[in-house]
Amino acid sequence: MSQSTTLASRAELFIEVTEFYARQMPLLEELEFDEFAATFTDDCVFGYDNAWQIDGREALQGGLRTNMARYGTSRVRHWFENRRIEPLEDGVIRVTATCLVSVTTEDGDVTFEPTCRVTDELIHTEQGLRTRSRKLRHDLPDVGRYFAKLAARYS
Amino acid sequence: MSQSTTLASRAELFIEVTEFYARQMPLLEELEFDEFAATFTDDCVFGYDNAWQIDGREALQGGLRTNMARYGTSRVRHWFENRRIEPLEDGVIRVTATCLVSVTTEDGDVTFEPTCRVTDELIHTEQGLRTRSRKLRHDLPDVGRYFAKLAARYS
Amino acid sequence: MSQSTTLASRAELFIEVTEFYARQMPLLEELEFDEFAATFTDDCVFGYDNAWQIDGREALQGGLRTNMARYGTSRVRHWFENRRIEPLEDGVIRVTATCLVSVTTEDGDVTFEPTCRVTDELIHTEQGLRTRSRKLRHDLPDVGRYFAKLAARYS
């Protein structure tokens, strides 16, 4: 396969993956939990390193509904950078990126959550790309302390 | 048309549209109002949902000049995500995205405006892509309240 | 060369350059100074307009180590927009972009540095793309005042 062909196929995979996230993430942001969960595989895993993990799409729907409820009337948005796309041997596509998360309150004030790294595994299905694994890690030396702070604030 | 060809043509449109915004938005940010307005069609519309709308490129130049004046010596920058590109049947390309807007003061302090959704309609002209419609909607339940706050601050 | 072919080659260059930054910038962010410096040419220049410039890869390693030390246990991340890629006649690829820099403290608080413009010159080498020049300019009318403030804070 020529260098040019390789680049062309990487370009196509880049577009396919970019389009996938551009459709997927607004579903979460706009609280379309069922539609968002439908972009994951039935046996997906979703979790934060050293904190918690959800197994399976059904649990994911409920977990996200609960997790996003703490934002109340604020709107969450995700801003990705450094997306790296690696096709693995078994058809899995590993995608890593950094992510900034903004929260806009109904008064128009904007705050940000700690930046994080995202490691996804995507697979091709008959319905297009689906996420089978999403692992998040905040850019914090002690993630447990952050989750404890969140729990104290929202409990 | 094969799946591969379709992806290739989507890749090319993706690049064309991405390059268009990469040239267009710095023109506004760097207060090149005439050059920015030239990236719109003569009969363009530009507006915020449920707030105000400007009709035509000439009015757009004046409107943006007035609107950007409130930033004074601060520099505004736009950060897009989730860009979705949809070719419509009549040659129009609909582009939707989310946008974060930063404001850097001359002291180096950075604040952010409420995040928003952008819905553009682009068309191909002999001069390349041009915006014929831009509709913005802040991520706020009550946009009128936000514009009233802005008006109070800058009047 | 047809319009289509031109777009295809621009798409491939876009992917190549995008992948380059997606690998390069996390190296700096995760304090892998040697690996980050290795993405520059041996005779590179790196500097801020009207402030300071580092000449050569070896000096770059030391300079960045010193510069990043001021962030302590915080994690710096870079968020690019408006990337424009221009192949020049001598094989140099000029890349300009705007950049937002976030700083996440170990407590999870997020602040931002003044936004800036980045102008890079990349060249193809046997090891792939390398940066031979990076010039930064903050979005500030008086950059000297900003650097003086930084110096006062961290000295």
Side-chain angles (χ1 to χ4, degrees):
Chain A
M1 189 178 278
S2 73
Q3 168 72 359
S4 174
T5 309
T6 303
L7 266 171
S9 74
R10 274 156 56 197
E12 292 179 4
L13 183 60
F14 177 90
I15 298 305
E16 193 182 7
V17 168
T18 299
E19 290 180 346
F20 173 73
Y21 287 105
R23 285 193 311 270
Q24 184 190 52
M25 295 309 296
L27 294 174
L28 177 61
E29 295 166 358
E30 291 159 23
L31 312 182
E32 306 282 356
F33 298 112
D34 292 354
E35 290 79 356
F36 178 73
T39 67
F40 286 76
T41 62
D42 193 49
D43 62 347
C44 66
V45 298
F46 183 108
Y48 282 84
D49 280 2
N50 302 318
W52 51 266
Q53 179 173 310
I54 287 172
D55 293 289
R57 186 198 284 148
E58 197 177 319
L60 180 62
Q61 289 176 337
L64 291 175
R65 211 176 285 272
T66 303
N67 186 50
M68 295 293 284
R70 64 181 164 93
Y71 295 112
T73 57
S74 296
R75 175 72 74 196
V76 176
R77 293 287 184 195
H78 300 78
W79 315 90
F80 287 94
E81 191 65 61
N82 299 320
R83 189 170 279 148
R84 284 145 290 174
I85 300 168
E86 295 168 81
L88 304 183
E89 292 216 346
D90 55 355
V92 172
I93 303 159
R94 183 163 56 201
V95 183
T96 57
T98 46
C99 186
L100 176 69
V101 180
S102 66
V103 182
T104 299
T105 70
E106 63 175 5
D107 289 327
D109 298 321
V110 182
T111 58
F112 294 87
E113 310 217 324
T115 54
C116 65
R117 290 185 62 172
V118 182
T119 304
D120 275 8
E121 289 179 7
L122 308 180
I123 58 168
H124 281 105
T125 73
E126 286 178 16
Q127 290 78 41
L129 284 176
R130 291 292 176 268
T131 307
R132 75 167 196 184
S133 170
R134 175 160 298 170
K135 297 290 180 65
L136 307 162
R137 197 184 69 194
H138 285 108
D139 285 333
L140 299 171
D142 183 349
V143 171
R145 188 150 65 94
Y146 175 69
F147 278 103
K149 195 166 81 170
L150 273 193
R153 189 186 307 160
Y154 293 105
S155 66
Chain B
M1 188 178 277
S2 72
Q3 167 73 357
S4 173
T5 308
T6 304
L7 267 170
S9 75
R10 274 156 56 197
E12 292 179 4
L13 183 60
F14 178 90
I15 298 303
E16 193 182 8
V17 168
T18 299
E19 290 181 346
F20 173 73
Y21 287 104
R23 285 193 311 271
Q24 183 190 52
M25 295 309 295
L27 295 172
L28 177 61
E29 295 166 357
E30 291 158 23
L31 311 182
E32 305 282 356
F33 298 113
D34 292 355
E35 290 80 355
F36 178 73
T39 66
F40 286 76
T41 62
D42 194 49
D43 62 346
C44 66
V45 298
F46 183 109
Y48 283 84
D49 279 3
N50 302 317
W52 51 266
Q53 179 174 310
I54 289 171
D55 293 291
R57 186 198 284 146
E58 197 177 320
L60 180 62
Q61 289 176 338
L64 291 175
R65 212 175 285 272
T66 303
N67 186 50
M68 295 293 284
R70 65 183 163 93
Y71 295 111
T73 58
S74 296
R75 175 71 75 196
V76 177
R77 294 285 184 196
H78 300 77
W79 315 91
F80 287 93
E81 191 64 60
N82 298 321
R83 189 170 280 147
R84 283 145 293 174
I85 301 168
E86 296 167 80
L88 305 183
E89 292 215 345
D90 54 356
V92 172
I93 303 159
R94 182 162 57 200
V95 183
T96 57
T98 47
C99 186
L100 176 69
V101 180
S102 67
V103 183
T104 299
T105 71
E106 63 176 6
D107 290 327
D109 298 321
V110 181
T111 58
F112 294 87
E113 310 217 326
T115 54
C116 65
R117 290 184 61 171
V118 182
T119 304
D120 274 10
E121 289 178 7
L122 308 181
I123 57 168
H124 281 105
T125 73
E126 287 178 13
Q127 291 78 41
L129 285 176
R130 291 293 178 266
T131 307
R132 75 168 196 183
S133 170
R134 174 161 298 171
K135 298 289 180 64
L136 307 162
R137 196 185 70 193
H138 285 109
D139 285 332
L140 299 171
D142 183 349
V143 172
R145 188 151 64 94
Y146 175 69
F147 279 103
K149 194 167 79 170
L150 273 193
R153 189 186 306 162
Y154 293 105
S155 67
Chain C
M1 189 178 278
S2 73
Q3 167 73 358
S4 174
T5 308
T6 303
L7 265 171
S9 75
R10 275 156 56 197
E12 292 179 3
L13 183 60
F14 178 90
I15 298 304
E16 193 182 8
V17 168
T18 300
E19 289 180 347
F20 173 73
Y21 287 104
R23 284 192 311 269
Q24 184 190 52
M25 296 308 296
L27 295 174
L28 177 61
E29 295 166 358
E30 291 158 22
L31 311 182
E32 307 282 356
F33 297 112
D34 292 354
E35 290 80 356
F36 179 73
T39 66
F40 286 76
T41 63
D42 194 49
D43 62 346
C44 66
V45 299
F46 183 109
Y48 283 85
D49 279 2
N50 302 318
W52 51 266
Q53 180 174 309
I54 288 171
D55 293 290
R57 186 198 285 148
E58 197 177 319
L60 180 62
Q61 288 176 338
L64 290 175
R65 212 177 284 272
T66 303
N67 185 51
M68 295 293 284
R70 65 182 163 91
Y71 294 113
T73 57
S74 296
R75 175 72 73 196
V76 176
R77 295 285 183 195
H78 300 77
W79 314 91
F80 287 93
E81 192 65 61
N82 298 320
R83 189 169 279 147
R84 283 145 291 175
I85 301 168
E86 294 169 80
L88 305 183
E89 292 216 346
D90 54 355
V92 172
I93 303 159
R94 182 162 57 201
V95 183
T96 56
T98 46
C99 187
L100 176 68
V101 180
S102 66
V103 182
T104 299
T105 70
E106 62 175 8
D107 290 327
D109 298 322
V110 181
T111 58
F112 294 87
E113 310 217 325
T115 54
C116 66
R117 290 185 62 171
V118 182
T119 305
D120 274 8
E121 289 177 9
L122 308 181
I123 57 168
H124 282 105
T125 72
E126 287 178 13
Q127 290 78 41
L129 285 176
R130 291 292 177 267
T131 307
R132 74 168 197 184
S133 170
R134 175 160 298 170
K135 298 290 181 63
L136 308 161
R137 197 185 70 194
H138 285 109
D139 285 332
L140 299 170
D142 183 349
V143 172
R145 187 149 66 92
Y146 175 69
F147 279 103
K149 195 167 81 171
L150 273 192
R153 189 186 307 162
Y154 292 105
S155 67

